[in-house]
Amino acid sequence: MTKAHLISFVARSKRRKETLALLSKNNGLSQPEIMRELKQYKSHNSRTIKELSGKGLISCINPGDRSFKFYKITKKGRDILKEAERIS
């Protein structure tokens, strides 16, 4: 996926932008913390995390832990977020 496609992917979803913005302000957050901060339903939050993770915009800090995973934004995620915020 090209950089332009990633920027568009993030810019067209409020949830994706909010999740990346929240993670850019914190070192690592768990899925329940992200849900609570953004006031999202679990299913929406899970889908957003899966999408962002799949594109390499966020990463799991502790992938071996099945019950309580922490996520952080990647450098690629920061760059894409900055561009998405600029155009929207």
Side-chain angles (χ1 to χ4, degrees):
M1 190 170 254
T2 67
K3 185 175 180 178
H5 283 102
L6 285 173
I7 293 167
S8 173
F9 172 76
V10 170
R12 67 179 183 255
S13 170
K14 180 181 174 186
R15 273 194 301 260
R16 291 180 200 134
K17 278 191 296 190
E18 287 177 341
T19 301
L20 286 174
L22 178 64
L23 289 173
S24 74
K25 296 174 188 164
N26 295 281
N27 257 349
L29 292 174
S30 67
Q31 187 171 352
E33 290 171 323
I34 296 168
M35 265 177 16
R36 192 170 32 255
E37 285 290 318
L38 300 178
K39 297 176 176 77
Q40 293 177 344
Y41 292 112
K42 186 175 181 178
S43 60
H44 294 163
N45 185 259
S46 296
R47 184 178 334 127
T48 302
I49 287 174
K50 187 175 181 179
E51 290 171 343
L52 295 173
S53 225
K55 307 283 188 209
L57 303 176
I58 65 173
S59 64
C60 182
I61 298 170
N62 59 336
D65 190 343
R66 293 183 56 161
S67 62
F68 205 76
K69 294 185 178 188
F70 283 89
Y71 295 90
K72 67 176 186 169
I73 192 167
T74 62
K75 180 180 178 343
K76 179 179 177 182
R78 286 184 195 283
D79 295 342
I80 297 299
L81 175 62
K82 189 182 296 184
E83 290 295 320
E85 287 176 333
R86 186 180 61 79
I87 64 168
S88 40

